[in-house]
């Protein structure tokens, strides 16, 4: 008999060994499409990403080295001229007033190296070591072992300029000493000292773009200052843009310094790009180092007596290469 009004009877099951295709979608709807087939019919999807195999920084953040598939002892090779051009272009992109200014650039060429864990000071030390001796085999893991032996550090953190200076003296055959950050304030003297072969390990608060900021020490980070940029007020309309960049040599003569603004070139271990930073802001950032980020567990670090103020603020490490 027919079903009562308003009732439907499900269709009978298919015979054994038979399958019935699914019903078509309602009008106006499209059925989901199967995933595209990769080149080669035998291609398989990639295995699931296993985060447990990655080295993590403090706070469960992936380290800069791991994010780029590198290790902390790997050096990324770049030409000296190309790294300067790339750094200047990046700076000009966010500072349009510099777009048509003639820039005089001096730099001790360093190859970028990234950190694993809180090793920024140790990696900066290793980059400085290769400026003194290009054949140096010093790597962050060896420096970490020494820092742990001396009870300067637990994970690679360096909250003492004096301790980083002592590590540097043990590993690098050079004239190395702790200096006041105020030595960066005199423009002519600073440019001359950089051209004469001095570089500086400078602690500062690291902003999202890896340049200096003022965060009371909660973003404390180490950098290696290797050169400078003098920006002239004279406009340059030559093409290509690289024509407005003048590369200085160690025997170059500096002129009209008072009429030019000064920027500093720095390496740090969270980025492969050479930094172009405001000199005055870097000094202020160094002097504002006061506290450890309260989000971090203080027991994970070795903090010197007197805290960050006594350990880092207003101090830098000078290395004669």
């Amino acid at each position: 008999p027919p079903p009562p009004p308003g009732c439907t009877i499900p269709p009978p099951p298919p015979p054994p060994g038979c399958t019935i295709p699914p019903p078509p979608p309602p009008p106006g709807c499209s059925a989901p499409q199967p995933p595209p087939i990769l080149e080669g019919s035998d291609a398989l999807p990639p295995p699931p990403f296993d985060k447990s195999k990655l080295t993590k920084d403090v706070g469960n953040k992936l380290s800069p080295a791991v994010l780029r598939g590198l290790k902390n002892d790997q050096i990324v090779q770049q030409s000296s001229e190309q790294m300067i051009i790339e750094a200047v272009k990046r700076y000009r992109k966010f500072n349009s007033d510099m777009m048509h200014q003639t820039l005089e650039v001096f730099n001790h060429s360093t190859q970028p190296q990234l950190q694993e864990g809180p090793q920024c000071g140790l990696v900066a030390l290793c980059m400085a070591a290769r400026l003194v001796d290009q054949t140096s085999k010093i790597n962050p893991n060896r420096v970490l072992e020494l820092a742990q032996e001396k009870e300067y550090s637990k994970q690679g953190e360096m909250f003492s300029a004096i301790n980083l200076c002592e590590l540097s003296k043990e590993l690098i055959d050079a004239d190395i000493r702790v200096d006041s950050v105020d030595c960066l304030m005199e423009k002519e003297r600073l440019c001359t000292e950089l051209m004469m072969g001095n570089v500086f390990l400078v602690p500062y608060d690291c902003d999202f773009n890896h340049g200096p900021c003022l965060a009371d020490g909660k973003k404390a980070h180490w950098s290696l200052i290797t050169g400078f940029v003098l920006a002239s007020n004279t406009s340059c309309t030559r093409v290509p843009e690289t024509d407005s960049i003048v590369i200085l040599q160690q025997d170059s003569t500096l002129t009209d310094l008072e009429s030019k603004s000064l920027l500093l070139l720095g390496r740090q271990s969270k980025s492969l790009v050479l930094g172009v930073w405001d000199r005055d802001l870097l000094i202020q950032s160094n002097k504002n180092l006061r506290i450890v980020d309260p989000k971090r567990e203080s027991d994970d670090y070795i903090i010197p007596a007197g805290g960050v103020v006594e350990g880092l603020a207003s101090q830098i490490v000078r290395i004669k290469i």
Side-chain angles (χ1 to χ4, degrees):
C7 296
T8 59
I9 297 176
C18 296
T19 58
I20 298 177
C29 297
S30 58
Q33 299 298 314
I37 299 177
L38 303 175
E39 275 190 34
S41 58
D42 294 333
L44 297 175
F49 184 64
D50 184 2
K51 292 184 178 180
S52 66
K53 295 182 179 180
L54 297 177
T55 301
K56 295 190 177 183
D57 202 339
V58 174
N60 294 323
K61 295 181 180 179
L62 299 182
S63 73
V66 169
L67 282 173
R68 292 167 178 82
L70 301 171
K71 294 186 177 296
N72 62 358
D73 59 353
Q74 284 184 268
I75 301 166
V76 180
Q77 297 294 332
Q78 296 178 344
S79 73
S80 176
E81 183 175 346
Q82 186 57 41
M83 67 178 65
I84 289 175
I85 292 172
E86 182 181 357
V88 168
K89 282 187 174 181
R90 185 171 184 264
Y91 184 80
R92 280 175 162 169
K93 180 179 179 180
F94 298 100
N95 297 271
S96 57
D97 56 320
M98 292 282 185
M99 189 61 68
H100 300 296
Q101 289 186 330
T102 300
L103 304 180
E104 299 171 81
V105 183
F106 175 83
N107 188 47
H108 296 288
S109 181
T110 53
Q111 301 300 330
Q113 191 171 348
L114 301 177
Q115 69 188 68
E116 290 182 2
Q119 299 178 346
C120 53
L122 310 188
V123 175
L125 186 160
C126 292
M127 290 190 285
R130 282 190 297 279
L131 285 174
V132 176
D133 178 5
Q134 294 183 358
T135 65
S136 172
K137 301 299 183 183
I138 296 173
N139 65 72
N141 294 329
R142 171 67 189 104
V143 184
L144 175 58
E145 290 176 4
L146 182 60
Q148 290 171 333
E149 288 173 10
K150 292 181 170 294
E151 298 185 349
Y152 291 164
S153 177
K154 290 184 178 180
Q155 303 180 60
E157 78 286 350
M158 292 300 300
F159 284 103
S160 167
I162 292 176
N163 289 349
L164 187 59
C165 179
E166 292 303 312
L167 284 178
S168 301
K169 287 180 178 179
E170 289 215 18
L171 298 167
I172 304 174
D173 184 15
D175 179 15
I176 304 172
R177 68 178 189 270
V178 174
D179 214 333
S180 167
V181 74
D182 288 337
C183 74
L184 305 182
M185 295 182 66
E186 189 178 334
K187 184 187 299 184
E188 182 175 2
R189 175 186 171 188
L190 175 57
C191 292
T192 300
E193 289 186 341
L194 282 164
M195 294 177 76
M196 289 177 62
N198 292 280
V199 294
F200 304 92
L201 296 170
V202 180
Y204 71 106
D205 269 327
C206 180
D207 208 348
F208 68 93
N209 62 356
H210 306 125
C213 68
L214 304 177
D216 294 326
K218 289 179 283 189
K219 296 183 178 180
H221 191 50
W222 279 95
S223 65
L224 174 65
I225 300 302
T226 57
F228 61 83
V229 177
L230 291 170
S232 171
N233 293 325
T234 303
S235 295
C236 180
T237 57
R238 292 172 291 177
V239 176
E241 180 188 358
T242 53
D243 286 350
S244 64
I245 302 174
V246 179
I247 306 296
L248 301 175
Q249 305 301 321
Q250 284 190 291
D251 57 354
S252 297
T253 301
L254 302 178
T255 59
D256 302 323
L257 283 179
E258 293 307 313
S259 65
K260 300 171 183 176
S261 57
L262 175 63
L263 303 165
L264 295 179
L265 295 175
R267 280 278 180 211
Q268 51 74 43
S269 53
K270 290 184 177 181
S271 170
L272 298 176
V273 180
L274 185 66
V276 181
W277 300 332
D278 182 279
R279 183 268 311 259
D280 294 336
L281 181 56
L282 180 64
I283 294 172
Q284 293 173 34
S285 183
N286 172 269
K287 289 185 174 184
N288 106 125
L289 300 175
R290 299 187 303 107
I291 61 174
V292 178
D293 187 348
K295 295 178 182 178
R296 299 177 181 269
E297 294 290 339
S298 59
D299 290 343
D300 290 339
Y301 307 109
I302 293 179
I303 311 295
V308 176
V309 172
E310 293 295 327
L312 296 178
S314 301
Q315 300 171 73
I316 62 176
V317 179
R318 177 198 297 265
I319 300 176
K320 182 69 167 66
I321 63 176

